[in-house]
Amino acid sequence: MHRLLLKIILLVLISLQAAFAQKPQKPNSVEIYNQIKKVNFLGSVLYIAAHPDDENTRLISYLSNEVNARTGYLSLTRGDGGQNLIGPQLRELLGVIRTQELIEARKVDGSEQFFSRANDFGYSKTPDETLTLWDKQKVLADIIWTVRKFQPDVIINRFDHRTPGTTHGHHTSSAMLSVESFDLANNPSIYPEQLKYVTPWQPKRQFFNTSWWFYGSQEKFEAANKSKFTTLETGVYYPGIGKSNQEIAALSRSRHQSQGFGATGSRGQDTEYLELINGDTPKDPSNIFDGIDTTWNRIKGGKPIGELINTILTQYNFNNPSASIPDLVKAYTMIQSLNENHWKALKSEEIKKIIAACSGLYLEAVAQQQETTQGSTVSLKLEAINRTSVPMQLVSITTLPDQKTTPQNIDLTNNKDQKINLKTQLPTTIPYTQPYWLAEKATIGMYTVSNQENIGVPDIIRDVKVIFNIKINNVEIPFERTVVYKYNDDVKGEMYDFLDIVPEVTTTILEKVLLFKDTQTKTVAVKIKAGKDGVSGNLQLELPKSWIISPKQIPFILAKKGIEQIVYFEVTPPVNPENATVKSVAIVGNKRYDKDQTIIDYSHITKQQVLSPAEAKCIRFDLKTTGDSIAYIMGAGDEVPNSLAQMGYKVTILKPEEITPTRLDNFDVVITGIRAYNTIQALANKQVVLFDFVKNGKTMIVQYNTAGDLVTDTIAPYPLKISSDRVTEENAEVTFLAPNHPVLSTPNKITSKDFEGWKQEQGLYYPSEYDKAFTPILSSHDKGESAKKGALLVAPYGKGYYIYTGLSFFRELPEGVPGAYRLLSNIISLKQPVQIPNKEIKN
């Protein structure tokens, strides 16, 4: 029993880690009072959906802040398959960003975050398709694991499990699996390996969070019978913090910056509707916890604790929160004596946080460097200060993971700052700091997480911590703090990062896709970065024997940590077409270092280190290009310009204000990046200039945009209407509608082979209506659907060509898909328009 309690406490600590961030929390008096209220509510609700930004933040905020329930959001994926409005990161790196955005959102609305191992492989039209790529049993196991660990009294599904095919397949799958888990979570014969850490659990009831969206219109929803719905009035106002529930929800939703989900807060009445789909019906239709004991009475021996918390609330002094400390310490002691695991662990952490807040107890452990290596000694500066008259004593300090306890026996008198210098020795086996779900090889649909206890943990797991053991009223209480790195920015002031464990050496092949159009030797640049002082060794590239590398290895010496050096290899490809993976490996002593370090650093999320294999793709294939000079207008952010440069084009990133006739005279082709007409308002006033560019004999290529929020209705010189049509099956058969068009033959002969090996999807947001001036070039469709002909539309305009394409070049080029390069080269190469008779053929 004791071992199980320790494991549950560990799980709680990990799940709460995100709530502390790297900056210390400093709640005000009203926030402290609200935290005490929450200690006195022993009920929990788990909201389940498929992606980051699927969650209903209005309902989640209401349950957390008005009802005071422990509220969690289980997002089955980390959003890896979406698009990115703030940078070029896609797939796993985008998932890292969206993970952090969810964590930041939960800090705002006061709830907790969880994930499954499901990988967001991109848009899916049906749950059948989704569950062929997700491992259904593993995702179901993860939901059951979360239910058993979180122990929700109530589960709320964002989506309807009864309507497959009406929304994203991931959405429906999340609801279907949630419904399936409702009874299975309490069956000990289901996933019994989990019971080493958790116990079976039966939620009381399960709801579907319905709304007008699921009825097709507001009018239809208003006419629907809602008599059996549970109705929650969520438009409450919190006078203590001066915000409405909707305003808090908008702040939470606005954390999803990579998806462009900035939201404006609202005020006034607001209603949420819940349809019961499992369990018993609450007698009170406005209370999802009706009939569930959410007081301390639900725990044997808990009644006196609840009574004491009520007394603390009644006597709470907003001008002097420290007056509550003696009773809070008493409540903490009473909780420790409970013969219960789940709520004991949770409420212990909650009340410790409140005690620290009431006393202004500031505890911090700061490393002298932001990065360190395995086996190193870390110098720490510790700070401890008690800002009340309540006597306290810093008994000892325990460092983790070495579990070394150093006695202190320092009296923490009122407002006397204690500074302590300490060193901790890291083990040589301490894991590198990185998203744990990326540490093992994944599949298209699933991440691999071998450690059961890590499944569902939202954030990077950080092992370097300090426990301040503090005696208050003769009760010793451990306060844990994750080690951070702190510095002063001349503009922003005090800044925090976490301490990261990095390899002694990381290497980066600067071009992630290396194109070899012939047998000519190519220079390959590799960057070496030191993770510590005084590191030296030899760098080598590894490729199949058919590729020639010179030299075999390059020695390096890096005197100081953080120093970078770029070295160059000559790589000669084989005569015949071949795809290969090149790996850069640094040999230091008898150790191999083959990790590439990527730092993701945006101001709205915690800085992240991602370690991936130091690899690149080498592609020897038949590719012919013209010598065109290209102007690229960035949209939401992509890596297409880098790919164009690899193809041999001269590429210039053009800012909107530079789109002038004189400036455009220097280019043969203009390409707009993905979602440029959704994100660049200035383009609305540049269309005449761009169309004149085409009219004068040049080429304009517009990549995909979404339909609903275009900055102008005239994105093309002819009528063109964007739809939500897409082909999600990347291997869908392609029909050539205009087989004799030069875009399929010059300078590369395009065949069905050029559509092999595409990743995630063929394309998205195809135009469904367009002027007869456009020639549709391609047709394909997902299984069971009608043909989609808007993937590639070519129209002569004046002396030039205007091309609109929804093909996912932004995904295929960075993935090194040869056919995508060949087809794009043909699109860029279009010159004088000619009349081409169309005859549909299949390849």
Side-chain angles (χ1 to χ4, degrees), residues 73-91:
Y73 174 43
L74 170 57
S75 174
L76 295 193
T77 76
R78 296 177 184 265
D80 327 76
Q83 283 84 51
N84 185 359
L85 290 180
I86 61 174
Q89 297 88 358
L90 293 174
R91 289 300 300 139

Side-chain angles (χ1 to χ4, degrees), residues 507-582:
T507 65
T508 303
I509 301 173
L510 296 185
E511 297 290 347
K512 296 306 179 187
V513 178
L514 298 161
L515 302 182
F516 295 83
K517 298 185 288 185
D518 49 38
T519 57
Q520 273 197 314
T521 297
K522 184 183 285 284
T523 300
V524 177
V526 183
K527 181 179 70 178
I528 314 168
K529 181 181 177 182
K532 69 173 189 177
D533 292 345
V535 61
S536 61
N538 291 291
L539 184 71
Q540 60 189 38
L541 292 184
E542 295 180 350
L543 268 166
K545 292 181 179 179
S546 53
W547 299 71
I548 300 172
I549 305 168
S550 179
K552 295 296 184 184
Q553 61 182 24
I554 298 175
F556 64 87
I557 300 175
L558 302 173
K560 291 292 183 181
K561 175 182 178 179
I563 283 181
E564 297 177 354
Q565 178 184 351
I566 296 178
V567 299
Y568 300 91
F569 292 88
E570 299 296 320
V571 175
T572 305
V575 174
N576 297 319
E578 181 180 328
N579 293 350
T581 297
V582 57

Side-chain angles (χ1 to χ4, degrees), residues 503 505-507 583-586 592-596 612-615:
V505 180
T506 55
T507 65
K583 176 182 286 189
S584 61
V585 180
R592 288 168 51 93
Y593 293 93
D594 58 359
K595 297 297 183 184
D596 185 348
S612 56
E615 296 176 347

Side-chain angles (χ1 to χ4, degrees), residues 160 279-280 284 389 416 428 437 439 471 489 516 523 582-583 641 693 790 799 806 834:
D160 192 345
D280 63 351
D284 180 354
S389 58
K416 185 177 180 181
T428 57
W437 60 94
K471 186 177 288 186
D489 183 279
F516 295 83
T523 300
V582 57
K583 176 182 286 189
F693 171 81
K799 298 178 181 179
V834 292

Side-chain angles (χ1 to χ4, degrees), residues 80 179 189 252 280 318 337 346 449 485 526 534 723 761 811 830:
D80 327 76
V179 170
S189 66
S252 173
D280 63 351
F318 285 88
S337 65
L346 291 168
V449 181
Y485 171 71
V526 183
S723 73
E761 63 206 351
R811 294 197 191 279
L830 282 173

Side-chain angles (χ1 to χ4, degrees), residues 300-326:
K300 183 179 180 180
K303 184 178 180 180
I305 300 172
E307 293 171 346
L308 178 56
I309 300 297
N310 280 327
T311 300
I312 294 170
L313 288 167
T314 301
Q315 298 178 355
Y316 183 77
N317 186 339
F318 285 88
N319 294 319
N320 181 23
S322 66
S324 299
I325 292 176

Side-chain angles (χ1 to χ4, degrees), residues 186-342:
N186 198 37
N187 186 339
S189 66
I190 301 298
Y191 306 116
E193 68 278 4
Q194 297 180 0
L195 303 185
K196 180 180 178 182
Y197 311 99
V198 292
T199 57
W201 180 255
Q202 180 60 62
K204 184 75 170 178
R205 52 183 67 108
Q206 185 175 44
F207 296 97
F208 160 46
N209 181 198
T210 190
S211 70
W212 71 264
W213 188 84
F214 295 96
Y215 283 73
S217 70
Q218 189 71 48
E219 292 74 19
K220 290 180 180 179
F221 185 60
E222 289 175 358
N225 182 3
K226 305 183 189 66
S227 61
K228 295 184 178 180
F229 288 178
T230 294
T231 305
L232 304 180
E233 298 301 329
T234 58
V236 297
Y237 174 67
Y238 305 111
I241 58 176
K243 290 184 177 69
S244 69
N245 185 65
Q246 301 99 309
E247 288 170 322
I248 294 174
L251 291 171
S252 173
R253 188 144 187 87
S254 296
R255 293 302 186 266
H256 297 291
Q257 292 185 19
S258 69
Q259 304 306 296
F261 280 135
T264 300
S266 61
R267 291 143 292 280
Q269 295 180 339
D270 197 28
T271 306
E272 290 290 337
Y273 298 94
L274 302 175
E275 178 186 355
L276 185 73
I277 54 176
N278 262 318
D280 63 351
T281 304
K283 295 179 181 179
D284 180 354
S286 65
N287 179 12
I288 64 172
F289 288 99
D290 183 57
I292 301 171
D293 190 350
T294 58
T295 72
W296 279 93
N297 294 341
R298 76 183 294 172
I299 299 175
K300 183 179 180 180
K303 184 178 180 180
I305 300 172
E307 293 171 346
L308 178 56
I309 300 297
N310 280 327
T311 300
I312 294 170
L313 288 167
T314 301
Q315 298 178 355
Y316 183 77
N317 186 339
F318 285 88
N319 294 319
N320 181 23
S322 66
S324 299
I325 292 176
D327 281 341
L328 287 167
V329 172
K330 182 179 178 182
Y332 172 81
T333 304
M334 294 168 69
I335 291 172
Q336 305 318 298
S337 65
L338 292 173
N339 186 24
E340 194 270 351
N341 294 324
H342 180 72

